[in-house]
Amino acid sequence: MRDRDLIGRWQRGATEAGAALMDHYAPFVRTVARRLGVRDERDFLDLWQDLLLRVLEHLPRLHKRVHRSFAGYLAWQVRDLAPRFRAQPRTEPAP
């Protein structure tokens, strides 16, 4: 119920509700991302940024996408995004 309330407030323009919701789930998102192979901090931050953009894109219809839980919705989105951010060798610029 708490999540639906925050989503509703966020949809009505209360950005602090969105921040509270995403802050609450940040550790969960990090755990899901790590289990899916996103271990580098920079990669995780890139994934997090893309996740936030996706949530904002879905925000007007989010209540239709969140059938049972916001955590489930986030996990689904992270599973979709993770392959782009899995640990890949980073090339450092030549000296």
Side-chain angles (χ1 to χ4, degrees):
M1 193 57 105
R2 172 192 168 283
D3 292 353
R4 288 186 185 271
D5 176 57
L6 288 173
I7 290 169
R9 288 178 38 215
W10 194 7
Q11 288 172 323
R12 292 186 299 277
T15 57
E16 70 280 354
L21 188 63
M22 295 305 291
D23 287 348
H24 175 76
Y25 283 106
F28 170 75
V29 169
R30 184 178 296 274
T31 298
V32 172
R34 283 193 183 278
R35 288 182 182 163
L36 293 170
V38 181
R39 292 184 174 80
D40 182 80
E41 181 66 15
R42 292 178 292 181
D43 291 336
F44 173 75
L45 291 174
D46 288 342
L47 180 141
W48 180 256
Q49 181 176 351
D50 282 7
L51 177 63
L52 288 174
L53 290 173
R54 187 173 286 188
V55 171
L56 287 171
E57 178 184 322
H58 293 167
L59 188 59
R61 303 170 312 284
L62 199 55
H63 63 283
K64 292 179 183 175
R65 292 179 176 268
V66 177
H67 299 288
R68 293 192 182 152
S69 76
F70 189 64
Y73 164 82
L74 289 175
W76 186 264
Q77 299 306 315
V78 172
R79 281 191 293 271
D80 186 52
L81 292 168
R84 292 192 284 158
F85 299 101
R86 281 196 186 110
Q88 298 173 6
R90 290 195 179 267
T91 56
E92 298 296 325

